Each structure stands twice: as structure tokens, then as C-alpha cells.
Amino acid sequence: MELNYVDIIWTMIAASLVFFMQAGFAMVETGFTRAKNAGNIIMKNLMDFAIGSILFFIIGFGIMFGDSFMGLFGTSGFFNPDQMTNVAQFTALTPGVFIFFQTVFCATAATIVSGAMAERTKFLSYVIYSAVISLVIYPVVGHWIWGGGWLADLGFVDFAGSTVVHSIGGWASLVGAAILGPRIGKYNKDGSSNAIPGHSITLGALGVFILWFGWFGFNPGSTIAANNEIGHIAMTTNLAAAAGACVAMIITWLKYKKPDVGLTLNGALAGLVAITAGCQVVTMWGSIIIGIISGFLIVFGVEFIDKVCKIDDPVGATGVHLLNGVGGTLLVGLFANYAPGTEKAITGLFYGGGAKLLGIQAVGVLAVAAWTVCTTFILFKVIQKTVGLRVPAIEEIQGLDIHEHGMESYPDFVSKIQ
């Protein structure tokens, strides 16, 4: 394809917004956890991007977009992806712009797990995990869906990454948190759950606003072209987030007699995750319905994971990214209504398209679940048996900032806000 400089500018702006989402994740996770671990959270979010950038450039991009081996993984472009000759089949961008755009998405998938495993994971162990997901786990799924792999050939729809990015992070979060075990004091002997409040709802809210802002690069930017679909995608993205927040607020107000701030914030993120797969192919009203469903998924899903599954997820990452990544991907099979009556039409069950697309979406969800659960289970178990996955109890009690990094995030105020 011939280079288009307007597309290049638009894609670089969108990629920069997505990069800024790293700050959003850092603030959400820091605010929703305790002050004694704030520096550890910041380090994990920083190193996700730093390590992932290098490894994705060297190996991951080639696996994701290299010449396909039976639709399973790429086999070219290693070490010098900017020299790949087949990038032109995907985009009218320069190789550097396309690689940078894909890099920031890879970093998002990696950093989701940080929150679910917060406050009790060894930093070295987390760094190893982060490297492997950027090197292999994420790029393989990316190839299946975005790199011309077998799910792309099947007709699977995941426009901006409900499955490729968010459900990968969600499945990895579920596996990691389950193997790691709950924080000290989270569950009583009778199995009942104790709330462990984060130290700053203000930082958490700031993170949500940053993520919401960055999503206007995440979803509209996935056009990787300055075309007439950008406005529609921005609107479906915003409406789903708004609906998710409103519904989460209403449910918690009715359920707990007070509107819960943390769950309402996560409701907005849930709507954003859920709409990411279908933001291009659903109507604006369809996006509102998807946002409403996401509000139910986050409130009742977080409670189910915490109180029934007994999996301790300090920031609700599993509820936000797994349940809504999967749910949003499947809902494309119901609400898709893209370019009806044309050869590009993508229609779901509710718009006369039958159950075929829903079936394809389900196949994709199950395939990605199987790959991610199996690979991350092996990875976390190997880490657990070698360098160890969890810090000693005394380090968890006193805080990871002191023991893992030799510092305090709030040296003048720790006794008051810890």
C-alpha cells in the first residue's frame, strides 16, 4: 500500500494516547492498593513497558505479523522487524509507526496482571512473567486474530482488542492470582471475605479518567487510518463507558444503600473493555446496551470472584478485563450491524445475521482462553518452583516498597495512610 501521511500522523497520535494509558493503569492500581506497596506498583507498570518494548521489537512483532505458519504464528521479521516486506499488506504506514502502535497494545496486555497480583508478588517473578507475555503469549494470539492467522480467516471480529489485549490479561490475572493465593487477612477461617481498602480513591479516579481518555486512541486509533469511521468508534466507546458507570452506580446504590465509588469507576472501565471488540461494527444504541450489560458483569462478577471463587484480586482486574473482554467479544455476535447490504457486511443474531458470527466469536474466546490459561499456568508454576512467586509473610505485612525496593513512597505520612 502507498504511504499516507495523514494516516501516519493520526496513528502516532493514537499510539501516544495508548502509551499514556500506562499512567492510567499505574494510578488505578496504586490508588486501589495500600500505600506501603505504591512504589512497587509504579515499578511494575514502568518495567512492563520498558521490557516489553525491547522484547516485542526483537521477537514478538515477528511472531505476530511475520509470514504465517499454518495460521498459528509468524516466522519472519525477528530482530529487524522494520525490514519486514509484508507490513505493507496490513497498513499504509511506515514500519516504525506500525511497530510502535502494536508495541503500546502489547504493553497494555502485560500490565493488566499487575493489579490482580498486587501486594504479595516478588518483583523478579513479575518481571519474568511480563517478559514472557510480551515475547510469546500475546504475539501468538495477536497473530491468530490481527496477523492473518486462523481466527482472522474464520471471520472472528475483535476490532481493537477485547480478546487480544484484555481477555489475555484477564485470563493471566485469574491464573496468577489463583496460584499466588490471597493477601494475608483477606479471608477469615469461615471463608468470609474482608475488604482491604486502597489508600487513595483519588489516585484511582485519576487513573480511570486517564484510561477513558486514552481509550479514544485505543479504539478509534485501531483504524490505523484517518477515515470516516473514527467519529462513530469514538461515540460507541464513550457511550458504553458512560452506560457501564451509570449501571454500576445504580446497582451498588440499590444493593448496598450507597453508590460505591470503586465499583462505579470500574463500571466505566468495564464498559470500555466490553465495547472494544465491537466498537466499529455495532450501532450507538448497541453500544449503550453493551455498556449496560458490562455494568452488571462488573458488579456481580467481582463479587463472584471474591466471595465464591475465593480469588483475591485487589483492583478488580479479572472482573474488568476477563469478564468484560469475553462478554464484549461474544456480544459482537448479537449486536453487530456493520455496512448492512454490502459485501463488507458484518451482522449479528439480532440484525438477521443468524448465529454464525456468535459461534465464531465463541470459538475464538475458547481458543484464546485455552492458550492463555495453559501457558500462564505453566509459566507461573515454573516461576513458583524456581525463583519463587510470593514474598515472605513479613515482607507482605511490612510492605513491598521497603523490602523489594528499599524505599517508602510516602516517607512523611506512612503511619497515617498505610
Side-chain angles (χ1 to χ4, degrees):
M1 296 176 67
E2 184 178 349
L3 291 180
N4 185 309
Y5 292 100
V6 175
D7 292 349
I8 289 172
I9 294 170
W10 162 242
T11 304
M12 282 301 301
I13 292 171
S16 299
L17 289 173
V18 178
F19 167 72
F20 190 48
M21 290 173 71
Q22 288 292 121
F25 282 112
M27 293 300 97
V28 168
E29 293 167 19
T30 302
F32 284 3
T33 53
R34 289 168 288 184
K36 62 185 178 182
N37 302 307
N40 177 258
I41 295 290
I42 296 298
M43 276 290 286
K44 289 193 293 185
N45 281 273
L46 171 67
M47 297 315 298
D48 275 330
F49 189 80
I51 294 170
S53 291
I54 295 170
L55 295 179
F56 188 71
F57 169 76
I58 295 172
I59 300 293
F61 186 85
I63 293 175
M64 192 163 173
F65 290 102
D67 296 328
S68 186
F69 174 75
M70 299 178 64
L72 298 175
F73 53 85
T75 59
S76 63
F78 304 123
F79 302 99
N80 288 298
D82 57 321
Q83 302 299 315
M84 288 173 60
T85 58
N86 67 332
V87 168
Q89 71 177 296
F90 298 106
T91 174
L93 310 175
T94 64
V97 173
F98 188 58
I99 295 168
F100 179 61
F101 186 79
Q102 297 301 331
T103 297
V104 294
F105 273 67
C106 177
T108 300
T111 204
I112 289 168
V113 184
S114 172
M117 299 177 67
E119 302 201 296
R120 71 264 200 217
T121 306
K122 285 185 175 181
F123 182 67
L124 174 60
S125 303
Y126 183 81
V127 167
I128 294 170
Y129 148 78
S130 181
V132 174
I133 194 172
S134 300
L135 195 69
V136 179
I137 297 173
Y138 170 83
V140 167
V141 174
H143 183 79
W144 292 355
I145 298 170
W146 291 342
W150 68 277
L151 279 175
D153 291 340
L154 200 61
F156 183 81
V157 177
D158 185 15
F159 182 72
S162 289
T163 289
V164 177
V165 177
H166 296 283
S167 78
I168 286 180
W171 287 117
S173 295
L174 184 71
V175 173
I179 292 174
L180 188 61
R183 291 167 291 174
I184 294 171
K186 176 61 180 175
Y187 295 105
N188 302 312
K189 290 182 179 180
D190 62 1
S192 59
S193 173
N194 298 313
I196 303 179
H199 82 279
S200 176
I201 198 68
T202 307
L203 286 179
L206 174 63
V208 170
F209 280 116
I210 291 173
L211 288 170
W212 197 332
F213 175 64
W215 236 284
F216 297 126
F218 203 96
N219 286 1
S222 291
T223 57
I224 56 176
N227 61 29
N228 61 0
E229 296 186 327
I230 292 172
H232 176 80
I233 295 169
M235 279 300 301
T236 57
T237 300
N238 191 60
L239 289 170
C246 289
V247 170
M249 180 194 70
I250 292 168
I251 294 174
T252 58
W253 208 332
L254 295 173
K255 187 176 176 64
Y256 307 121
K257 310 306 178 185
K258 301 285 185 181
D260 187 278
V261 180
L263 281 173
T264 302
L265 290 169
N266 268 340
L269 297 181
L272 290 164
V273 170
I275 196 58
T276 295
C279 56
Q280 179 200 34
V281 301
V282 303
T283 66
M284 293 182 194
W285 278 105
S287 72
I288 293 174
I289 297 172
I290 290 172
I292 290 171
I293 294 171
S294 74
F296 281 90
L297 284 175
I298 189 63
V299 174
F300 294 104
V302 164
E303 187 173 284
F304 179 81
I305 292 166
D306 181 25
K307 296 183 178 180
V308 178
C309 299
K310 307 298 182 187
I311 294 175
D312 182 15
D313 180 349
V315 305
T318 309
V320 170
H321 299 280
L322 173 55
L323 297 183
N324 286 281
V326 169
T329 301
L330 294 175
L331 289 171
V332 172
L334 301 179
F335 292 103
N337 187 33
Y338 180 73
T342 72
E343 60 181 17
K344 296 181 179 180
I346 301 173
T347 51
L349 181 64
F350 292 165
Y351 288 90
K356 180 181 179 181
L357 179 58
L358 181 60
I360 292 171
Q361 297 298 99
V363 169
V365 164
L366 291 173
V368 172
W371 165 257
T372 310
V373 169
C374 289
T375 53
T376 55
F377 180 83
I378 294 169
L379 173 60
F380 285 128
K381 280 295 185 180
V382 169
I383 293 173
Q384 188 179 52
K385 298 295 184 181
T386 52
V387 300
L389 191 59
R390 185 166 183 147
V391 299
I394 186 64
E395 294 185 13
E396 181 180 343
I397 292 169
Q398 293 180 352
L400 274 61
D401 284 3
I402 294 174
H403 289 279
E404 291 279 278
H405 308 287
M407 52 79 72
E408 295 178 356
S409 297
Y410 304 95
D412 296 328
F413 303 101
V414 169
S415 63
K416 294 182 179 180
I417 63 176
Q418 183 167 292

